[in-house]
Amino acid sequence: MRPTASALLILTLFLSSCATLSTIGRRKPEKAIPLKVLQEAPEGATVGIYAVSMRSGREIASYNADKLLLPASNLKLLVLYAALDLLGPAKNFKTEFLLDDSLNLYMVGFGDPSLLASDLYMIAERIKAFGINRIMDIRVSESFYDTIRYGPGWMWDEGPHPYAAPVSALSLNRNVVEVWVRNTETGPVAEVVPATDFVRAAVEVVPAESLDKVEVERSFDTVNHITLRIPEDALDFEPHVKYVSIEEPALFAGHVLKGALERSGVEVGGKVLKGDPPPDASLIYTWLSPPLFELLYDICLLYTSPSPRDLSTSRMP
């Protein structure tokens, strides 16, 4: 499902109405915002506000203004408005594929937030059709962004959760994998989608008294290790899926590309490494994301646990 013109019109009217309201507000005398309701927030709640007059720039209210808080999803409206204003609704995000004289294949990311594993299978077929039957290393480049993976104030223990996936200029499947868990005669087993040696999953059954729900743990040495800890009294279950974020997104994308190329009949004689293409590398293919106005739909409706369709839908460029 993609946004219709009417949906975009609603978004435009909403943003315009916000601007209209702010204009109306400037006609009235500036008043300080009462903070009593914030100071009486329920126990355990953390509330912060910082309000500035659009007319004079004067501070109207400040309470816990310097405290780091996780923004709610309504902040997406500001991000989307800024993206539309600065980039334009027709903006595409590209991913480039280059080949050097030593037959090393470079995958260069430019911030596409929508690249999927299914896209890489299509890309691999096109690389094969270009007449490339063998490559050496796959080298992934994410230098278009800096190396800061997580935002200031992100909680240290949110690592495995899909909403806390690391940031990279080269991302795949929103830097999340599906871990499918099913019960067998010998116990529960886990399988990773997309399947790659860069992500390994295992199941650990623990005593029921020590755990009351399934827990997800993830560690990283040179590959991602995901462990699902399941209480022993919860082993009678239907197959279900957990969504887990991964470390080193660019390498993850490179390993999935390696599998896609091999499935397409392209021999990969080397490893998946990080590296920028040399100046004389030849551009052989450019993948373009859908335009920004289509990506807005996913950004607005994406929630904590994406559906399997969200991570597997194949698109034509």
Side-chain angles (χ1 to χ4, degrees):
M1 179 177 177
R2 295 298 177 193
T4 61
S6 59
L8 293 174
L9 177 61
I10 291 171
L11 176 61
T12 303
L13 291 174
F14 174 81
L15 295 171
S16 300
S17 65
C18 292
T20 303
L21 288 173
S22 67
T23 303
I24 295 173
R26 291 200 298 271
R27 298 173 184 169
K28 299 178 181 180
E30 295 177 4
K31 295 182 180 180
I33 298 176
L35 299 179
K36 183 177 180 180
V37 65
L38 301 180
Q39 296 165 344
E40 296 177 352
E43 183 179 354
T46 302
V47 181
I49 185 174
Y50 184 73
V52 177
S53 167
M54 296 181 65
R55 179 176 62 183
S56 66
R58 183 176 64 87
E59 179 184 297
I60 299 175
S62 178
Y63 180 71
N64 282 340
D66 296 327
K67 186 179 291 294
L68 293 175
L69 301 175
L70 290 176
S73 289
N74 54 13
L75 189 62
K76 293 177 183 178
L77 292 175
L78 300 178
V79 175
L80 296 180
Y81 182 82
L84 286 170
D85 183 55
L86 296 174
L87 302 176
K91 167 68 176 179
N92 298 104
F93 298 91
K94 66 180 179 179
T95 304
E96 292 185 343
F97 298 83
L98 304 94
L99 198 67
D100 68 15
D101 293 338
S102 300
L103 296 183
N104 296 309
L105 179 67
Y106 294 83
M107 182 182 183
V108 184
F110 290 90
D112 183 359
S114 66
L115 188 65
L116 300 175
S118 54
D119 298 331
L120 291 188
Y121 291 116
M122 188 183 302
I123 291 167
E125 293 288 348
R126 292 176 180 176
I127 291 175
K128 170 72 173 179
F130 194 75
I132 299 172
N133 298 307
R134 184 176 187 273
I135 64 170
M136 293 304 294
D137 292 335
I138 294 176
R139 301 187 181 181
V140 293
S141 172
E142 55 181 344
S143 58
F144 188 68
Y145 287 175
D146 57 33
T147 56
I148 299 174
R149 299 284 192 209
Y150 301 97
W154 288 22
M155 298 299 291
W156 65 269
D157 59 348
E158 291 180 338
H161 297 294
Y163 55 78
V167 176
S168 172
L170 181 53
S171 297
L172 182 71
N173 280 27
R174 302 176 184 137
N175 298 334
V176 169
V177 293
E178 303 173 18
V179 182
W180 285 88
V181 186
R182 56 187 175 86
N183 214 356
T184 69
E185 294 181 356
T186 57
V189 296
E191 297 181 5
V192 177
V193 178
T196 165
D197 291 339
F198 192 63
V199 184
R200 300 171 184 171
V203 177
E204 177 185 345
V205 179
V206 299
E209 59 270 15
S210 63
L211 195 66
D212 59 359
K213 62 179 181 179
V214 176
E215 287 187 351
V216 179
E217 296 178 352
R218 189 200 65 206
S219 61
F220 182 83
D221 42 31
T222 57
V223 299
N224 290 266
H225 296 272
I226 298 171
T227 302
L228 274 67
R229 304 176 71 240
I230 300 178
E232 60 184 355
D233 63 348
L235 293 181
D236 185 17
F237 59 82
E238 296 295 325
H240 65 282
V241 62
K242 291 287 185 180
Y243 299 92
V244 186
S245 64
I246 51 89
E247 292 284 354
E248 294 293 345
L251 289 175
F252 168 61
H255 278 83
V256 176
L257 175 62
K258 178 176 182 290
L261 287 168
E262 291 173 338
R263 194 176 80 167
S264 297
V266 178
E267 180 185 352
V268 181
K271 301 178 180 179
V272 178
L273 306 168
K274 288 186 177 181
D276 296 330
D280 59 349
S282 299
L283 179 65
I284 58 173
Y285 188 71
T286 299
W287 174 269
L288 294 179
S289 75
L292 179 61
F293 76 86
E294 288 193 29
L295 298 180
L296 299 188
Y297 173 83
D298 291 332
I299 296 172
C300 287
L301 297 188
L302 180 64
Y303 53 98
T304 299
S305 296
S307 71
R309 190 196 67 81
D310 292 332
L311 297 181
S312 61
T313 301
S314 179
R315 297 182 306 264
M316 293 298 290

